[in-house]
Amino acid sequence: MRTTWNDGAAAVALITFDVDAETPVLAEGHRYAEHAMTMSHQAYGPDVGVPRLLDLLDDLEVPATFFVPGWVAEQRPGLARSIQDRGHEVAHHSYSHRAPTRMTPEEEREDFERALRVFADQDIEIRGHRAAMWEATWNTASLVAEHGLVYDSSLMADDRPYLVDTGTGRIVELPVHWSLDDWQQYAFLPEPAIGSAIESPRKALELWKAELDAMRHYGCLFNLTSHPFLTGRPSRALALRELIEHAQDRGDVRFARCVDVALAAGADPALKAHTLQRRSVDPTVYPD
């Protein structure tokens, strides 16, 4: 039987959560560790949002993938296990949530490997990766392949899974997009300025339903990125529930964990392959 990444569905839906907790704030400066309000705002994600969202997923019988920074797993030793024990996937989301584009290659490697060591110590199997802030470098995919992971979910070259030749191996890319990220809808803090939006969940729901239905038309991968400190808030969690129920009512949308789609995509002979290519840029035309 021929393997296809979508298994005949009109669209495949990935419900993914970036369990960033305090790391995006600390990545902006260690001084924010002294800001009690700011740190409590971020702690809401793993401490309140994750349990609420796990219950929601149980109710709807939907699998999900949780991208967890190594620092967050280290600070909360039972968190990753509590997610995995509910049947969901735990995936690599850096150690510190510092953007790879702001690090040297050596720093990116150390951060990447430090997270893997945390998960190994907790006996959590890691099969996939998502770069902090999606800010992958030209080296990121090679690190993913080198360490035996099967997929990345940071890039935007397609709206279906695709294969990436890295030089150290081939991985599956599960593309993302800003239109399917709750950060653009809900993120707000006075300092650091991680965002300035507090949109109505009805607006976000309208946007995501429209994208899902269009992706059903074109046969795409609906890769929704949410953050428990944002979507874990009550009205937003109910909007996510309504979105999932909308997809379930369509009858032609398949829900899956990232790793399951990646494994199917890697065996799909019809899947498109991309070679990461850094274009040469004339600094006299595009100066810093």
Side-chain angles (χ1 to χ4, degrees):
M1 182 177 177
R2 183 171 179 268
T3 299
T4 60
W5 71 269
N6 61 1
D7 197 25
V12 175
L14 302 178
I15 305 300
T16 75
F17 300 96
D18 291 1
V19 190
D20 297 341
E22 298 92 347
T23 58
V25 169
L26 294 173
E28 294 298 318
H30 181 269
R31 65 188 180 280
Y32 292 111
E34 302 305 317
H35 292 210
M37 178 278 289
T38 301
M39 296 295 277
S40 68
H41 178 266
Q42 299 303 121
Y44 180 97
D47 298 346
V48 178
V50 167
R52 176 174 290 152
L53 294 165
L54 287 171
D55 288 344
L56 183 155
L57 295 168
D58 279 353
D59 287 347
L60 298 174
E61 298 182 336
V62 167
T65 296
F66 290 73
F67 292 90
V68 183
W71 186 90
V72 177
E74 195 172 57
Q75 293 290 314
R76 296 171 172 86
L79 178 66
R81 178 64 57 191
S82 74
I83 293 167
Q84 190 175 83
D85 286 349
R86 303 280 279 268
H88 306 292
E89 178 190 6
V90 174
H92 188 309
H93 192 40
S94 80
Y95 175 80
S96 63
H97 207 274
R98 291 178 296 155
T101 51
R102 302 177 198 175
M103 292 190 277
T104 66
E106 294 75 21
E107 288 170 336
E108 181 183 7
R109 173 177 290 276
E110 171 52 29
D111 189 84
F112 189 98
E113 293 177 347
R114 188 173 182 181
L116 288 178
R117 291 194 294 270
V118 171
F119 291 115
D121 288 345
Q122 296 183 7
D123 197 26
I124 301 292
E125 184 181 24
I126 298 296
R127 305 297 303 279
H129 169 266
R130 174 173 285 167
M133 307 301 294
W134 296 341
E135 292 187 15
T137 69
W138 296 104
N139 298 320
T140 302
S142 295
L143 278 174
V144 173
E146 176 189 333
H147 289 83
L149 279 61
V150 298
Y151 75 87
D152 176 70
S153 185
S154 312
L155 306 179
M156 304 188 184
D158 207 326
D159 47 31
R160 300 176 180 88
Y162 59 94
L163 301 175
V164 176
D165 289 315
T166 70
T168 57
R170 177 178 277 194
I171 62 170
V172 174
E173 181 64 35
L174 303 177
V176 291
H177 193 261
W178 303 113
S179 61
L180 291 176
D181 188 338
D182 69 347
W183 198 288
Q184 278 58 52
Q185 307 301 318
Y186 302 143
F188 173 83
L189 265 181
E191 186 186 2
I194 65 168
S196 58
I198 304 182
E199 298 286 0
S200 165
R202 305 312 302 176
K203 173 181 173 289
L205 182 60
E206 179 183 5
L207 171 66
W208 295 334
K209 281 183 176 179
E211 191 69 4
L212 174 67
D213 288 336
M215 286 185 156
R216 290 172 51 237
H217 177 80
Y218 286 106
C220 300
L221 181 73
F222 180 87
N223 191 353
L224 182 71
T225 300
S226 297
H227 299 77
F229 80 94
L230 299 174
T231 286
R233 306 294 304 186
S235 63
R236 299 165 182 177
L238 290 181
L240 176 62
R241 174 185 286 272
E242 186 173 337
L243 174 68
I244 293 172
E245 290 173 339
H246 172 82
Q248 291 174 326
D249 289 345
R250 304 285 75 77
D252 56 7
V253 176
R254 183 169 72 87
F255 290 89
R257 302 177 307 169
C258 290
V259 63
D260 299 320
V261 174
L263 291 173
D268 187 342
L271 205 69
K272 185 185 299 184
H274 291 237
T275 299
L276 285 177
Q277 184 175 357
R278 183 172 184 171
R279 307 288 177 180
S280 117
V281 177
D282 184 344
T284 65
V285 178
Y286 297 104
D288 287 335

